[in-house]
Amino acid sequence: MKGLIWFRNDLRLGDNPALVTLTRRCEKAIMLFVIDPEWFRPTHFQSKHMGRFREEFLYQSLRSLECELKKRKQRLVVKVGNPLEIIPDICRRHGIDLVTVTDHPGVNEQQHVAYLKRVLPSEVRVCESFTLYLRNQINFTKDSFPKTFTQFRRHVDHQNLLPCIPISAPESLPSVLDERRDFWGGQEFVYDLTPYHGGEDSGSLQLNQFFWKTQGLKHYKDTRNDLDGWRFSSRLSAWLANGSLSARMVAAELDNYEYRHGRGESTRTIFAELLWRDYYQWMMHVQGARMFAFDGLKQKRPLTRFHSEKFKAWEQGTTEFPIVNACMRQLNQTGWMSHRGRHIAASCLVNELGIDWRFGAAYFEQQLIDFDVSSNYGNWQAVAGVDADPEEHPQFDVNVLASEYDPEGVFVDKWAESSSSESLLKY
């Protein structure tokens, strides 16, 4: 039996049911990743789907995946083009019997799989591993989906739902089906991502560093609202976003940590953040394109519009708000911004500058090394007040936030002195 696995946001061998399914059923297989040129073209929100930081992190992750496949006598086939043209062509030429792919809540990702199911004569098997829980555990409809995270968490607690246990990587893989690879990732990147490095091994190393070696988890409850630095946060979001790590792997490691050290405020906080991530994934699964609508899930149009000069000032970090400028310069020069910084910058764009939230969400999509479509658009809807929550969200004063989270002005001073050409990711 001949198979093909289409890697997307599951760039790992461990906890990859799509890979295990392929291995159990096929003697020969193609391991495929498709780079879609549409990712790098500007949208009507004046941003690209993928900027240079995430692009380089992706290529690092693909190189790591290729190395791991080689150890099992397989190879990664990278193609450049439209996957809905490339995959049917490969299946036709090789007589593919089985295509496996990991489920993903993104609207385009769902549509792509639905199209392949319609047009391919081969079986298309969709496997779940991007979320903590399975679809049959989170069986909400559009009408019944929780309007707040608190309601979602109560459902999880009431049903006594436990995260799925991650599965091991297969010891061996089907033999190679020979397929030409396209040239990819050959350009020179001017940005240094250190200490970020894409790939399953690097993600596992960071997980070990934060949980065990540096004891960052032990103090997380006290450090989680910091704006700068590396160790105050787990920094796992980039590996989770492209699937070099799964949320189930992190949850299992957290369970191991709590078994050894006991449950505390910091471990509960980390699990709550994994649960927040799942909440937004399932929200997009259920709500679909509504997550991108100007009037949001609430279907209430906010009193904002697009002002090109104000947006450009926000984008470049030249507004009248020093804390926002520091956050945006940090983002532009490192591809990363703290959770608290994202909230401050987003609140400023919507509430202080009165700009359509979708432009900010699209800019974050382009710039963030850890962009996740569900979390990004879910959080932006919340800031814009167009999410499903029936309660009105309080409008925060940016200057008050600055005094609370950067009382000595250290963060503002650091990024005020940085130029747009230098990278300060190494700290």
Side-chain angles (χ1 to χ4, degrees):
M1 191 170 184
K2 298 178 182 178
L4 179 150
I5 180 171
W6 180 20
F7 286 103
R8 300 192 297 177
N9 293 77
D10 56 342
L11 305 183
R12 62 184 185 274
L13 302 191
D15 194 32
N16 195 330
L19 185 63
V20 171
T21 299
L22 187 83
T23 299
R24 287 174 177 171
R25 296 183 55 186
C26 298
E27 293 80 35
K28 294 184 177 183
I30 293 172
M31 312 281 157
L32 178 70
F33 186 88
V34 181
I35 297 173
D36 192 338
E38 289 297 320
W39 297 343
F40 312 108
R41 295 183 181 130
T43 70
H44 60 281
F45 291 112
Q46 302 187 3
S47 301
K48 302 174 184 178
H49 290 293
M50 184 181 295
R52 295 297 295 274
F53 290 111
R54 187 154 50 98
E55 183 183 0
E56 171 62 359
F57 189 75
L58 169 63
Y59 289 164
Q60 290 176 354
S61 301
L62 293 177
R63 293 184 192 108
S64 174
L65 178 60
E66 182 174 37
C67 288
E68 293 304 311
L69 290 172
K70 281 183 177 179
K71 293 176 184 177
R72 290 166 173 80
K73 299 181 181 180
Q74 253 292 349
R75 64 197 289 266
L76 184 65
V77 175
V78 176
K79 294 283 192 177
V80 179
N82 183 346
L84 301 186
E85 297 174 356
I86 289 172
I87 293 173
D89 177 63
I90 292 177
C91 289
R92 176 185 54 79
R93 287 189 288 103
H94 290 277
I96 297 296
D97 303 295
L98 173 68
V99 174
T100 63
V101 62
T102 296
D103 197 15
H104 188 278
V107 173
N108 288 337
E109 288 81 356
Q110 293 285 317
Q111 291 175 346
H112 288 172
V113 170
Y115 175 82
L116 292 179
K117 285 184 173 182
R118 289 197 307 270
V119 303
L120 292 181
S122 50
E123 178 187 354
V124 178
R125 176 64 64 89
V126 181
C127 303
E128 298 183 63
S129 66
F130 196 70
T131 52
L132 293 174
Y133 306 106
L134 298 173
R135 282 191 187 228
N136 60 10
Q137 293 176 288
I138 308 293
N139 53 353
F140 295 114
T141 65
K142 284 189 177 182
D143 293 332
S144 67
F145 193 83
K147 296 184 183 300
T148 66
F149 171 73
T150 301
Q151 293 172 358
F152 178 77
R153 186 166 191 171
R154 285 174 183 164
H155 171 80
V156 170
D157 292 341
H158 180 72
Q159 298 293 325
N160 196 27
L161 299 183
L162 297 176
C164 295
I165 298 173
I167 61 177
S168 300
E171 293 183 2
S172 61
L173 296 174
S175 60
V176 174
L177 264 178
D178 193 38
E179 172 66 26
R180 181 184 62 83
R181 296 190 288 189
D182 291 342
F183 177 78
W184 59 282
Q187 58 265 61
E188 293 294 326
F189 287 89
V190 299
Y191 301 118
D192 184 358
L193 301 183
T194 308
Y196 276 116
H197 195 278
E200 185 175 0
D201 282 349
S202 297
S204 298
L205 177 63
Q206 177 59 21
L207 181 63
N208 181 67
Q209 289 274 340
F210 183 72
F211 274 49
W212 306 102
K213 190 170 184 179
T214 67
Q215 289 289 300
L217 175 55
K218 182 178 180 179
H219 308 288
Y220 182 66
K221 182 66 165 59
D222 300 321
T223 64
R224 61 188 294 266
N225 282 320
D226 287 356
L227 297 171
D228 215 355
W230 181 262
R231 293 184 178 179
F232 79 89
S233 164
S234 75
R235 291 298 188 110
L236 295 172
S237 54
W239 289 278
L240 287 170
N242 75 9
S244 295
L245 284 180
S246 74
R248 299 170 187 183
M249 289 172 159
V250 179
E253 196 69 16
L254 179 61
D255 189 56
N256 183 25
Y257 183 93
E258 290 184 330
Y259 176 77
R260 298 189 183 195
H261 298 286
R263 182 173 298 180
E265 287 294 317
S266 290
T267 61
R268 281 193 286 267
T269 300
I270 281 285
F271 184 74
E273 293 184 354
L274 288 174
L275 208 57
W276 266 107
R277 178 184 180 275
D278 245 45
Y279 175 56
Y280 283 131
Q281 306 305 321
W282 293 112
M283 182 185 292
M284 182 158 283
H285 260 302
V286 171
Q287 303 292 351
R290 262 282 134 203
M291 297 289 289
F292 306 101
F294 179 54
D295 57 356
L297 301 182
K298 196 171 287 183
Q299 299 188 40
K300 176 184 176 182
R301 294 179 66 85
L303 300 177
T304 55
R305 54 183 299 180
F306 181 68
H307 304 272
S308 59
E309 292 184 3
K310 288 182 179 181
F311 180 71
K312 186 61 67 176
W314 177 83
E315 185 182 79
Q316 296 179 349
T318 57
T319 71
E320 62 182 285
F321 305 101
I323 187 72
V324 174
N325 297 342
C327 289
M328 295 306 295
R329 291 184 180 209
Q330 180 190 45
L331 173 64
N332 292 335
Q333 294 169 45
T334 70
W336 186 84
M337 190 191 299
S338 70
H339 174 75
R340 186 57 55 193
R342 296 178 202 200
H343 178 81
I344 292 171
S347 181
C348 174
L349 184 78
V350 173
N351 298 315
E352 305 293 344
L353 303 180
I355 294 176
D356 182 342
W357 67 271
R358 295 172 299 174
F359 286 85
Y363 190 68
F364 273 19
E365 178 175 352
Q366 173 184 280
Q367 295 298 100
L368 285 170
I369 197 172
D370 63 354
F371 168 75
D372 173 273
V373 62
S374 304
S375 297
N376 184 65
Y377 282 87
N379 276 300
W380 270 96
Q381 281 210 8
V383 170
V386 297
D387 61 341
D389 191 343
E391 298 292 328
E392 292 293 328
H393 297 287
Q395 181 174 336
F396 296 98
D397 186 299
V398 171
N399 294 319
V400 171
L401 293 175
S403 63
E404 181 177 356
Y405 297 109
D406 189 32
E408 304 298 324
V410 175
F411 176 71
V412 166
D413 289 344
K414 172 181 176 179
W415 292 98
E417 295 300 322
S418 62
S419 71
S420 60
S421 61
E422 63 181 318
S423 174
L424 297 180
L425 194 56
K426 290 185 179 179
Y427 39 72

